[in-house]
Amino acid sequence: AQRVTQPEKLLSVFKGAPVELKCNYSYSGSPELFWYVQYSRQRLQLLLRHISRESIKGFTADLNKGETSFHLKKPFAQEEDSAMYYCARVDSSYKLIFGSGTRLLVRP
Amino acid sequence: SAVISQKPSRDICQRGTSLTIQCQVDSQVTMMFWYRQQPGQSLTLIATANQGSEATYESGFVIDKFPISRPNLTFSTLTVSNMSPEDSSIYLCSARTDTQYFGPGTRLTVL
């Protein structure tokens, strides 16, 4: 089965600390991977896609095919980063398969 | 990009009734999808709404329970039929252009 795994339900860090949200996928080919974020009372929005290799709000994510991972990282967390983060990949029919999500809590 | 609106934003319904959720996209899109997000859970795809043909349902979802319409390239509806409390959830519409965008969701509570 094509799966996206986010092992952590909750990740709590202090402001200014580094953050790494883990994501692993099961797929043998070249996946199209995304990170979506949902801030409190806001709609789900795209944060990053791996093919663009960009940094958004200080977040980066690198595709590691050897480890089948697409971890989301930020060197210095801010309180406004507190949100629900979902890793997802697109299947051959352009359907998004979501991980279970990780709640990031950045404490002051 | 695509801006997606949904109506209603929330509703409280009695069991046994049906609710139709509308999804409007600000541009023509080929692909539209409906997702469900149960309390404390991730998003699960219900179906792909195909313009001009029947929707394609995922395992565990059937047309009789979740009929979908897609009359044109900017609009779709999802009906939750014969509702039970287990249908209480957030229902999200999504459209794909360069990437996939989401509506604000419809929060449904079934009593």
Side-chain angles (χ1 to χ4, degrees):
Chain A
Q2 300 172 9
R3 283 207 196 96
V4 177
T5 304
Q6 293 179 250
E8 303 141 328
K9 277 197 159 182
L10 172 66
L11 184 62
S12 180
V13 301
F14 286 102
K15 177 182 172 181
V19 169
E20 183 180 57
L21 296 154
K22 291 185 167 45
C23 173
N24 289 89
Y25 63 92
S26 62
Y27 185 66
S28 57
S30 295
E32 187 177 352
L33 289 158
F34 304 85
W35 277 99
Y36 280 84
V37 60
Q38 190 167 31
Y39 300 102
S40 179
R41 297 189 181 134
Q42 295 187 26
R43 72 178 66 193
L44 192 68
Q45 56 187 282
L46 179 67
L47 180 64
L48 283 176
R49 56 189 306 187
H50 89 272
I51 61 172
S52 59
R53 299 186 63 82
E54 57 194 342
S55 174
I56 303 292
K57 299 184 180 182
F59 284 98
T60 59
D62 291 317
L63 176 62
N64 185 324
K65 289 186 180 180
E67 295 182 359
T68 60
S69 69
F70 188 54
H71 302 329
L72 184 68
K73 299 177 185 178
K74 184 168 183 176
F76 307 103
Q78 304 299 315
E79 289 181 66
E80 56 265 30
D81 296 328
S82 295
M84 198 72 189
Y85 291 81
Y86 294 97
C87 183
R89 62 166 288 262
V90 166
D91 74 1
S92 54
S93 303
Y94 297 104
K95 293 180 280 191
L96 275 174
I97 300 166
F98 284 89
S100 54
T102 298
R103 180 170 298 284
L104 174 64
L105 179 61
V106 182
R107 299 178 185 274
Chain B
S1 68
V3 177
I4 303 172
S5 58
Q6 285 184 234
K7 285 195 290 189
S9 58
R10 57 177 63 222
D11 207 343
I12 300 172
C13 301
Q14 297 296 320
R15 70 169 67 213
T17 63
S18 298
L19 175 72
T20 295
I21 302 167
Q22 298 179 7
C23 176
Q24 181 73 52
V25 188
D26 71 339
S27 58
Q28 293 187 340
V29 294
T30 305
M31 311 196 75
M32 292 181 74
F33 306 89
W34 286 97
Y35 289 83
R36 182 173 74 181
Q37 187 175 25
Q38 292 181 300
Q41 304 288 320
S42 185
L43 286 82
T44 301
L45 180 64
I46 297 172
T48 303
N50 302 307
Q51 197 268 328
S53 63
E54 269 194 11
T56 306
Y57 290 83
E58 298 301 304
S59 175
F61 298 96
V62 295
I63 188 171
D64 290 346
K65 176 66 177 178
F66 297 102
I68 287 170
S69 79
R70 178 87 194 270
N72 56 52
L73 292 174
T74 63
F75 187 78
S76 178
T77 67
L78 169 75
T79 298
V80 187
S81 303
N82 189 24
M83 287 184 283
S84 66
E86 292 72 34
D87 295 320
S88 296
S89 196
I90 298 173
Y91 293 86
L92 296 109
C93 174
S94 171
R96 180 179 172 102
T97 56
D98 57 319
T99 187
Q100 205 160 124
Y101 297 90
F102 286 83
T106 296
R107 184 180 294 271
L108 171 63
T109 303
V110 184
L111 302 177

